[in-house]
Amino acid sequence: MSFVMPRLEAGGDAAFWKKVIKRTILIFLIGLFLNWWPFVKWADETLVFKPWVLPTVRKPAGCPYTWGTAAYCYRLFLCIGNRVLSQSKKSISCGFNTAAGVLAALLLGNPTDPYSLKGWFGTDIDKSILGVGHIYKGEGIAFDPEGLMSTIPAIVQVIFGYLVSDYIQKKSKTPEPQQLSFDKPGETPGGIYPMLTGLFVIGVALLVTGFCWDTVFPINKKIWTSSYVIYTTGLAIITIATMIYMIEVKSIRGGLAKFFDVFGKNPLFIFALSAFLPKGLGLLRLGDGVNPWNWLYKEVLVHIPGAKENGSLLYALCVITFMWAICYWLDKKKIYIKV
């Protein structure tokens, strides 16, 4: 967002909102397509059409709402408010939003068990607004880990990401001083090393804050608690700072860096494909619960000696390698699928 939004903003309000609304709708439709796909299902021994009846199709996950709302927040607070708000005040504003999530959970949730699948206040909101048919049931009950309420702190996390990326861009463009004398008022260090130092300090501070917050509001990925936002944002900042140091400063650009590079060139496409292929191939029966997608695991890797987790790990690595091969081919052909 920190790269794209300023460019969209420069094109004027009409161009900005046209792109934001279009992308939000497209991501929503992609999610709807993936949830409805493969349009048919097995009923005993017969394939029957899955009718387009909304109560039978799960709503798309939080991605379109997160993207669209974060873009709106950028325009309203981070762009228009840039004239009156300092960077630190923007960060404090994001922190306040996460704190509001704590208050909402404590006031609206089940006071005896507010962090369970049933006690989480967002579950009742999802049921009343979306309907039970639209909610994920993979946990054994109607509970959506990407529901409406858990999307709110995810939006805040996107804004944190924008602030961090904006910080990286601005600080890395500051010239590195040849010699710094701290007795001159107003003189500050510039360049990549102070920027990396700032990132590591911020990352560690967020990790500590997340752990402390966990004692009051538990770190919980399923409901995307604000402590989870703070903690994982700290992890992400430390990770990206480490990558900048290794790739940009130490120039470690070997085969491993190139291996991961292709994933970043078609991220949304490969994400959609990872849902499209298993659900589609799952219709082709090769035996008792076996289909072309899980054949390798069920017929080969699950029988590897030792813990069953070994076969699961190897299967995951095989899937990632398969997806990488597709991304690599697309990159070689200069095919980049964007929304």
Side-chain angles (χ1 to χ4, degrees), residues 166-322:
D166 184 64
Y167 171 84
I168 292 172
Q169 291 181 69
K170 289 180 179 179
K171 291 296 182 180
S172 60
K173 291 177 182 178
T174 306
E176 193 83 51
Q178 297 297 320
Q179 185 175 5
L180 188 64
S181 175
F182 287 99
D183 59 356
K184 296 180 180 180
E187 187 176 15
T188 57
I192 195 167
Y193 282 105
M195 180 268 290
L196 288 175
T197 301
L199 287 178
F200 277 112
V201 170
I202 294 170
V204 172
L206 287 177
L207 282 182
V208 174
T209 302
F211 276 126
C212 293
W213 207 326
D214 175 58
T215 61
V216 178
F217 194 29
I219 294 174
N220 189 319
K221 193 267 182 187
K222 290 292 184 181
I223 57 179
W224 216 279
T225 56
S226 51
S227 55
Y228 174 81
V229 169
I230 299 297
Y231 174 69
T232 53
T233 299
L235 286 178
I237 292 173
I238 292 174
T239 301
I240 196 171
T242 303
M243 293 175 65
I244 292 173
Y245 176 76
M246 294 174 64
I247 297 173
E248 303 296 338
V249 177
K250 293 299 183 180
S251 298
I252 301 176
R253 301 172 183 267
L256 187 62
K258 293 180 180 178
F259 175 87
F260 289 104
D261 187 48
V262 297
F263 279 120
K265 295 181 178 180
N266 279 291
L268 183 58
F269 171 77
I270 206 67
F271 175 80
L273 191 65
S274 68
F276 178 85
L277 284 179
K279 295 179 72 173
L281 294 175
L283 289 176
L284 306 177
R285 295 179 173 181
L286 300 180
D288 185 18
V290 180
N291 60 63
W293 183 257
N294 64 20
W295 178 88
L296 180 62
Y297 173 73
K298 286 185 173 290
E299 298 295 326
V300 180
L301 299 180
V302 76
H303 302 296
I304 292 178
K308 61 180 181 180
E309 288 80 7
N310 295 337
S312 180
L313 173 61
L314 286 175
Y315 179 69
L317 293 175
C318 289
V319 171
I320 290 176
T321 303
F322 174 70

Side-chain angles (χ1 to χ4, degrees), residues 98-110 120-122 125 149 152 217:
T98 59
V102 179
L103 181 61
L106 295 178
L107 292 179
L108 301 177
N110 182 341
W120 168 242
F121 80 102
I125 293 177
M149 292 300 101
I152 295 175
F217 194 29

Side-chain angles (χ1 to χ4, degrees), residues 19-229:
K19 177 64 177 179
V20 168
I21 294 172
K22 177 184 176 182
R23 193 168 193 267
T24 301
I25 293 174
L26 285 175
I27 296 175
F28 179 88
L29 291 177
I30 290 172
L32 203 59
F33 170 82
L34 291 175
N35 284 334
W36 190 19
W37 170 259
F39 314 132
V40 294
K41 62 181 180 179
W42 284 102
D44 295 327
E45 297 300 320
T46 307
L47 279 176
V48 297
F49 180 71
K50 293 168 63 176
W52 179 242
V53 180
L54 286 179
T56 67
V57 180
R58 183 193 176 200
K59 58 91 186 168
C63 293
Y65 321 115
T66 304
W67 155 257
T69 308
Y72 173 79
C73 291
Y74 163 84
R75 185 64 173 167
L76 184 61
F77 299 111
L78 303 181
C79 172
I80 297 176
N82 190 51
R83 306 186 186 117
V84 295
L85 288 177
S86 66
Q87 195 75 2
S88 60
K89 288 182 180 179
K90 297 174 192 174
S91 302
I92 293 172
S93 176
C94 289
F96 176 78
N97 285 323
T98 59
V102 179
L103 181 61
L106 295 178
L107 292 179
L108 301 177
N110 182 341
T112 61
D113 196 12
Y115 311 121
S116 66
L117 301 184
K118 294 181 179 180
W120 168 242
F121 80 102
T123 299
D124 289 336
I125 293 177
D126 288 337
K127 288 179 179 179
S128 60
I129 296 178
L130 301 174
V132 176
H134 292 296
I135 299 176
Y136 181 68
K137 301 177 182 65
E139 308 291 343
I141 64 172
F143 166 82
D144 205 313
E146 294 166 332
L148 297 176
M149 292 300 101
S150 56
T151 297
I152 295 175
I155 293 169
V156 176
Q157 193 157 28
V158 173
I159 296 175
F160 272 132
Y162 166 83
L163 293 172
V164 171
S165 183
D166 184 64
Y167 171 84
I168 292 172
Q169 291 181 69
K170 289 180 179 179
K171 291 296 182 180
S172 60
K173 291 177 182 178
T174 306
E176 193 83 51
Q178 297 297 320
Q179 185 175 5
L180 188 64
S181 175
F182 287 99
D183 59 356
K184 296 180 180 180
E187 187 176 15
T188 57
I192 195 167
Y193 282 105
M195 180 268 290
L196 288 175
T197 301
L199 287 178
F200 277 112
V201 170
I202 294 170
V204 172
L206 287 177
L207 282 182
V208 174
T209 302
F211 276 126
C212 293
W213 207 326
D214 175 58
T215 61
V216 178
F217 194 29
I219 294 174
N220 189 319
K221 193 267 182 187
K222 290 292 184 181
I223 57 179
W224 216 279
T225 56
S226 51
S227 55
Y228 174 81
V229 169

